Amino acid sequence: MGDWTGVLHLNAEDRKGKTVAKNVYFQGAFKVMRPIYHDDSGRACYYLLNPGGGYLDGDRYQMKISLAENAKMTLTTQGATKVYKTPTHFVYQESEISLQAGSYLEYFPDQLIAYQNAHYKQKNVFRMDPTATLLYTDIITPGWSPKGERFSYKTVQLLNEIYMDDELVVYDHLKLNPAVQNLPGLGFMEGFTHLGSMIVVDQKINNPFLDQLYSLIDENTFDYKVGLSSLQVPGFTIRIFANSTQNIEKIFLSIHRLISDEWFQAKQYSLRKY
Amino acid sequence: MDEKILALFQLCDSNFPTGAFSHSYGLESYIQENKVHNTETFTQWLKVYIHEQLIYSDGLAVLLTYQALEREDFQKVWKLDRLLTVQNLPRETREGCMRMGERMLELVQALYDIPILTAYRKRIENKQSFGHPAIVFTMVAHDLNVSNSDAILFYLYSVVSSMVQNAVRGIPLGQTAGQKVIRAIQPVLVKAAELIQQLNEEDFGIVSPGIELSQMRHERVNIRIFMS
């Protein structure tokens, strides 16, 4: 499995309250910028870069991130993930993320834009200690085509596996295939165009916290529709239907703010890149 | 063979008291939003539910569990029990399946003496496994020597027939309309069962976003006659 288009390995550790890279390795069309410290929490914020500007036919990306005990990291991308048409081989991105005791990871990649006739498969495997914290989001847009048609990509497949103490605790599998599915219809996107997902795993999450989350959501708006449920382990997952990336990001932001306020009394900082 | 088929029929009967009558798998959310309100809209929902969730979860689980039982690979069976449970992200449907699995296990243990059922029960008691009706059903079907493909088809039928009974009460539909849906869905089930045979583990747990969202939203449905 050596034929990767881009590889990124990043091991981070906590040094006296500040998270720093222990080693960083990247090769090919995958890069990471120097970390930014947005506040005095010691949490390192890394921006992932795709110097090619997008994923091409047959591209394969591998990312391995590891957080040692008590390390704290925000991981995001510098812009949307664009997958161009893939006439022969699908684009594949694989991530292995390991979170040791007391570590904290926010992984908030920008939205996915799959172009006409693109096939994209993404697999994230998280292995975490029960005392670690994970916040993950993704956003699938209706893609891009020259004529402005929606859902003109071939397939978008996203798989998230979360293991705790080597036992599978979350398995999240979506595969959108507009040629055979009626994506705008009942049971699929139901009139919306954008799909956001969020998974949060943390020992502190309980039912009163979920009630607080519900209070952030407007049940009567036509701008979005949200489903929220607790996981088999302390944590929750959210799916959001909306008609723009921004509407989904707004909800993610308010949830993130609530979590930051509740758990760290930390000030929210913006990840805006533009 | 007829006798064995008949024995499996008993488990498919919508009167078989596993508690399936109290689970709508998100259908009730659609009923409340008035998106499912008659035979046509219910049939449309049912087809999406079968093709976009049932075949990749329970249906594929029957296929893989049966194959594992053939090889006496019990570790694999326990792995499938876990996979079935943790891929079910909406809490109500996940917990509903666990309860139905346990209830069904209790029932079939009163009817059959199959060692793997006892082992499964013990694992659930020890919180090593979760319990799921698809696994229990397959254990019985395998013990009865019913073929894997028949086991899949019968299982799908059992889920759908309870679902139609629920729709008859929940929407509501007339009894005759309900039976017409069951009759019309039969070729769909045959095709779905064939499709499942072509799937493999990589396809496990694929779910369409709307179906899943409706199952999550059911937690906040105000007036409810179903638990999921």
Side-chain angles (χ1 to χ4, degrees):
Chain A
M1 297 290 275
D3 52 340
W4 299 102
T5 316
V7 173
L8 170 68
H9 296 178
L10 171 59
N11 299 329
E13 63 181 7
D14 172 79
R15 274 187 215 154
K16 293 177 187 155
K18 188 179 178 187
T19 294
V20 296
K22 199 172 156 195
N23 32 67
V24 190
Y25 165 83
F26 48 82
Q27 195 201 326
F30 221 174
K31 277 194 171 66
V32 66
M33 299 202 304
R34 289 172 61 83
I36 293 166
Y37 297 88
H38 287 284
D39 55 25
D40 55 10
S41 69
R43 186 190 308 167
C45 178
Y46 282 92
Y47 289 85
L48 298 165
L49 289 164
N50 174 245
Y55 292 0
L56 303 171
D57 194 42
D59 276 2
R60 292 158 49 78
Y61 288 81
Q62 186 201 47
M63 179 166 83
K64 286 188 182 180
I65 308 281
S66 144
L67 266 61
E69 275 181 34
N70 299 322
K72 292 175 178 56
M73 184 187 287
T74 301
L75 190 62
T76 184
T77 48
Q78 214 198 17
T81 298
K82 292 174 184 151
V83 184
Y84 300 115
K85 64 178 178 193
T86 60
T88 47
H89 290 290
F90 65 93
V91 167
Y92 179 61
Q93 179 175 301
E94 175 184 285
S95 304
E96 278 180 42
I97 293 170
S98 139
L99 305 176
Q100 288 180 26
S103 66
Y104 175 99
L105 176 71
E106 302 172 345
Y107 179 24
F108 300 146
D110 283 277
Q111 74 271 26
L112 173 72
I113 304 173
Y115 281 48
Q116 193 171 23
N117 296 325
H119 279 284
Y120 178 67
K121 182 175 177 179
Q122 175 184 297
K123 182 177 177 179
N124 296 325
V125 178
F126 301 91
R127 294 181 190 280
M128 60 190 289
D129 186 274
T131 62
T133 302
L134 170 68
L135 283 78
Y136 167 81
T137 61
D138 60 52
I139 298 172
I140 306 173
T141 70
W144 189 88
S145 88
K147 286 184 186 162
E149 287 165 76
R150 286 165 174 168
F151 308 118
S152 63
Y153 55 79
K154 284 270 174 26
T155 55
V156 165
Q157 184 176 8
L158 305 184
L159 178 61
N160 292 308
E161 295 177 7
I162 303 177
Y163 294 83
M164 206 176 260
D165 288 335
D166 293 324
E167 290 271 34
L168 184 68
V169 294
V170 178
Y171 193 83
D172 167 24
H173 197 178
L174 285 176
K175 188 174 183 181
L176 303 178
N177 188 349
V180 297
Q181 297 168 331
N182 176 24
L183 275 197
L186 182 88
F188 294 96
M189 298 295 292
E190 308 188 340
F192 290 96
T193 53
H194 291 59
L195 172 64
S197 305
M198 182 177 212
I199 302 174
V200 177
V201 181
D202 184 283
Q203 282 182 318
K204 293 187 282 298
I205 292 163
N206 51 23
N207 285 333
F209 188 77
L210 290 189
D211 289 337
Q212 259 181 292
L213 283 179
Y214 267 110
S215 70
L216 299 174
I217 294 158
D218 180 356
E219 283 293 319
N220 299 314
T221 179
F222 292 104
D223 292 341
Y224 59 78
K225 202 169 171 181
V226 175
L228 158 58
S229 203
S230 52
L231 298 167
Q232 184 58 34
V233 288
F236 62 87
T237 179
I238 294 183
R239 299 263 197 233
I240 305 169
F241 284 159
N243 289 316
S244 72
T245 297
Q246 289 73 18
N247 271 343
I248 294 173
E249 281 176 339
K250 259 189 241 165
I251 299 169
F252 286 164
L253 201 68
S254 62
I255 294 168
H256 187 212
R257 184 178 301 132
L258 177 70
I259 288 174
S260 304
D261 287 351
E262 283 284 312
W263 297 351
F264 309 108
Q265 286 85 44
K267 223 176 73 199
Q268 178 89 16
Y269 52 82
S270 165
L271 290 176
R272 285 199 76 90
K273 297 132 204 179
Y274 316 105
Chain B
M1 197 60 204
D2 285 351
E3 201 188 318
K4 286 170 173 175
I5 294 276
L6 198 56
L8 202 57
F9 271 173
Q10 186 181 1
L11 273 62
C12 301
D13 193 323
S14 56
N15 279 323
F16 196 69
T18 57
F21 57 85
S22 39
H23 292 279
S24 86
Y25 302 94
L27 173 64
E28 192 165 37
S29 308
Y30 287 107
I31 296 173
Q32 293 250 332
E33 289 180 16
N34 210 30
K35 284 188 177 160
V36 172
H37 53 86
N38 58 14
T39 307
E40 289 71 43
T41 47
F42 171 64
T43 305
Q44 194 192 348
W45 175 84
L46 188 59
K47 284 182 182 166
V48 177
Y49 173 74
I50 292 167
H51 283 127
E52 307 298 334
Q53 182 169 50
L54 192 60
I55 65 167
Y56 297 112
S57 52
D58 297 29
L60 184 52
V62 174
L63 176 80
L64 297 173
T65 303
Y66 195 102
Q67 289 169 351
L69 290 169
E70 290 274 89
R71 298 191 306 266
E72 296 189 5
D73 181 358
F74 302 126
Q75 284 313 312
K76 181 74 186 184
V77 176
W78 312 139
K79 211 185 132 188
L80 288 163
D81 164 85
R82 177 170 278 276
L83 199 52
L84 264 175
T85 306
V86 301
Q87 61 83 32
N88 208 339
L89 297 179
R91 178 182 56 79
E92 289 182 341
T93 54
R94 181 176 64 239
E95 291 178 353
C97 285
M98 287 163 63
R99 268 196 293 273
M100 280 189 278
E102 247 187 295
R103 181 77 191 105
M104 192 175 188
L105 191 50
E106 226 173 275
L107 278 165
V108 297
Q109 274 197 292
L111 306 175
Y112 297 96
D113 187 16
I114 307 170
I116 187 84
L117 293 176
T118 315
Y120 196 22
R121 180 84 169 265
K122 192 155 257 166
R123 285 186 64 91
I124 296 168
E125 275 166 15
N126 294 337
K127 304 211 176 302
Q128 294 165 301
S129 285
F130 300 94
H132 196 286
I135 306 256
V136 179
F137 186 93
T138 312
M139 286 172 173
V140 177
H142 179 258
D143 189 73
L144 288 168
N145 261 319
V146 173
S147 73
N148 195 346
S149 54
D150 284 346
I152 294 169
L153 189 59
F154 285 17
Y155 183 80
L156 297 180
Y157 180 81
S158 75
V159 172
V160 166
S161 77
S162 318
M163 197 71 94
V164 172
Q165 288 309 317
N166 291 345
V168 164
R169 285 188 294 136
I171 295 175
L173 300 175
Q175 289 289 352
T176 307
Q179 292 306 316
K180 279 173 134 173
V181 174
I182 293 182
R183 175 70 193 117
I185 212 75
Q186 287 163 14
V188 175
L189 294 182
V190 171
K191 277 229 174 83
E194 285 167 10
L195 203 65
I196 289 165
Q197 307 265 8
Q198 291 154 29
L199 299 178
N200 60 55
E201 221 171 322
E202 295 229 322
D203 302 305
F204 203 94
I206 293 172
V207 58
S208 67
I211 292 283
E212 193 183 52
L213 203 106
S214 73
Q215 294 171 347
M216 291 181 175
R217 287 172 68 84
H218 189 268
E219 290 179 27
R220 301 278 154 158
V221 166
N222 289 327
I223 307 154
R224 34 202 277 157
I225 60 172
F226 298 105
M227 290 162 72
S228 76

